[in-house]
């Protein structure tokens, strides 16, 4: 790392702030992103990671359901969507949903992650029914469903406020919200990649409303395309602000752009170093988030494992039936067994802990599971 004297002083100041648990500013974040080497970033991030989560590395047993890929929108980065009349288009029936839920039960999943396209012809009741069918089939299964893009679409279709939409969904069985649809909040980039869908103000408003109703949610960033350091850091600072207000976010998940079959296929997939850098910067900037997830499906097992020493404390889960990244060229398997996840975590020198969506310990006895106490080490701080 070739820093001049002033830059070295700036890094020393940031290092002292990290050691003291103080907040890193936007300008300092941009400096770290643009000038500081990956090992230094990793060291800073790892300090915070261990302070918050000790030596634990979390995972969960989950299953994905993307009930339709037909979508009215055309986000440039998306390889998953299909036109209404496309032979690639599909839509789940109630029986198909039940079958997926039965699979969830059989594999011991504690969570189902549900997101999909905004189908031209499906009304709000169809989406509500997806949640209801899941909940009726397996009431213990935690339903983490819909991004603000979908909630905003339901609000548009029904002409009802966000709060009403969320309440209907909660009544049907919704338990939390995933972090998707965030992409890059800054309009300079958002307008290039998904200008038509819910803007960043809407994204934040939906999460604020969800948190006010007692739902927990996640957040993501889609990096490795047109964005620059200032856009990435701006994204993290905006999230930190809402978290100060509501405390409702649980986990932050950096998502590396996969270019294959997208409208941005001229871009190269981000390198492993870039992946680790974004994980580390996220851990350093998001001082009020408990968890940073290295989503192995998208990073690959090797980078995800390494990320456990660069700020991440969670690998997501056993994940079966993932489509969004595999349609965009991800070469990872669609699922890992619990044994494989344990091996990845143990090799990284961490202690594997199975969690539920709300970061409570999962206790297993044979085929049965139950929810134990929260395992958060930062709760002690
Ligand atoms: O919003 C779409 C991203 C997101 C591509 O909350 C792509 O636990 C890379 O949000 N290359 C949906 N990324 C997935 C998501 C998520 C994933 C895992 C865990 C959680 C959680 C949430 O996927 C979209 C978009 O940002 N995405 N296409 C692509 N070609
Ligand atoms: Fe539709 Fe979501 Fe794909 Fe955008 S990212 S085109 S909203 S499925």
């Amino acid at each position: 790392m070739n820093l001049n004297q002033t830059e070295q002083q700036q890094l020393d100041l940031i290092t002292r702030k990290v050691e003291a648990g103080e907040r890193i500013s936007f300008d300092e974040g941009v400096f770290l992103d643009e000038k500081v080497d990956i090992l230094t970033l990793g060291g800073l991030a790892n300090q915070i990671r261990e302070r918050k989560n000790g030596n634990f590395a979390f995972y969960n047993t989950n299953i994905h359901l993307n009930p339709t890929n037909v979508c009215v929108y055309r986000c440039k980065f998306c390889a998953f969507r299909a036109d209404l009349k496309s032979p690639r288009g599909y839509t789940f029936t109630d029986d198909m949903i039940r079958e997926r839920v039965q699979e969830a039960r059989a594999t011991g999943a504690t969570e189902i992650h549900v997101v999909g396209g905004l189908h031209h012809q499906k009304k709000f009741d169809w989406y509500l029914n997806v949640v209801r069918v899941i909940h009726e089939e397996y009431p213990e299964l935690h339903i983490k469903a819909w991004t603000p893009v979908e909630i905003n679409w339901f609000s548009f279709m029904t002409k009802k406020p966000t709060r009403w939409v969320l309440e209907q969904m909660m009544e049907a069985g919704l338990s939390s919200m995933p972090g998707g649809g965030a992409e890059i909040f800054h309009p300079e980039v958002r307008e290039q990649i998904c200008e038509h869908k819910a803007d960043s103000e809407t994204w934040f408003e939906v999460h604020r409303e969800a948190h006010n109703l007692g739902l927990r949610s996640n957040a993501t960033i889609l990096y490795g395309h047109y964005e620059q350091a200032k856009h990435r850091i701006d994204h993290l600072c905006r999230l930190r602000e809402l978290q100060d207000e509501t405390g409702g976010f649980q986990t932050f998940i950096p998502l590396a752009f996969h270019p294959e079959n997208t409208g941005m296929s001229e871009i190269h997939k981000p390198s492993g170093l870039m992946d680790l850098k974004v994980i580390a910067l996220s851990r350093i900037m998001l001082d009020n988030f408990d968890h940073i997830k290295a989503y192995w499906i998208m990073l690959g097992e090797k980078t995800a494992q390494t990320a456990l020493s660069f700020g991440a404390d969670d690998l997501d889960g056993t994940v079966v039936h993932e489509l969004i990244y595999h349609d965009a060229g991800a070469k990872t398997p669609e699922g890992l067994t619990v044994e494989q996840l344990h091996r990845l975590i143990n090799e990284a020198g961490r202690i594997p802990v199975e969690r539920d969506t709300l970061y409570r310990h999962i206790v297993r006895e044979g085929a049965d599971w139950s929810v134990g106490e929260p395992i958060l080490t930062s709760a002690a701080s």
Side-chain angles (χ1 to χ4, degrees), residues 77 113 144 178-181 183 218 222 253 256 258 293 295 325 328:
F77 54 80
H113 178 157
K144 180 177 79 176
E183 324 315 355
N218 294 337
L222 177 67
I253 310 133
H258 278 61
K293 192 187 281 186
Y295 186 43
Y325 299 99

Side-chain angles (χ1 to χ4, degrees), residues 71 73-75 77-78 80-81 116-118 149 197:
C71 189
Y73 289 149
R74 290 173 175 272
C75 301
F77 54 80
C78 181
F80 164 74
R81 74 165 298 282
L118 310 170
V149 177
K197 80 175 180 189

Side-chain angles (χ1 to χ4, degrees), residues 192-212:
Q192 292 181 64
I193 60 175
C194 57
E195 44 38 79
H196 43 272
K197 80 175 180 189
D199 60 14
S200 56
E201 281 72 32
T202 308
W203 193 95
F204 278 103
E205 201 37 55
V206 172
H207 279 271
R208 181 180 285 109
E209 198 70 81
H211 296 170
N212 288 340

Side-chain angles (χ1 to χ4, degrees), residues 19-93:
E19 282 162 4
E22 289 170 21
R23 179 160 284 189
I24 305 304
S25 70
F26 170 81
D27 288 342
E28 290 167 334
V30 174
F31 165 74
L32 288 174
D33 190 319
E34 287 179 340
K35 299 276 177 173
V36 176
D37 69 279
I38 184 63
L39 288 181
T40 305
L41 289 179
L44 293 173
N46 195 47
Q47 257 187 65
I48 304 170
R49 180 245 190 267
E50 293 190 351
R51 201 184 299 144
K52 282 186 181 282
N53 290 293
N55 211 17
F56 295 138
F58 302 104
Y59 68 92
N60 69 345
T61 309
N62 64 357
I63 198 158
H64 280 222
L65 170 66
N66 306 123
T68 180
N69 63 349
V70 175
C71 189
V72 295
Y73 289 149
R74 290 173 175 272
C75 301
K76 232 177 144 184
F77 54 80
C78 181
F80 164 74
R81 74 165 298 282
D83 287 331
L84 187 57
K85 300 226 163 79
S86 159
R88 272 190 65 245
Y90 70 80
T91 305
F92 269 50
T93 61

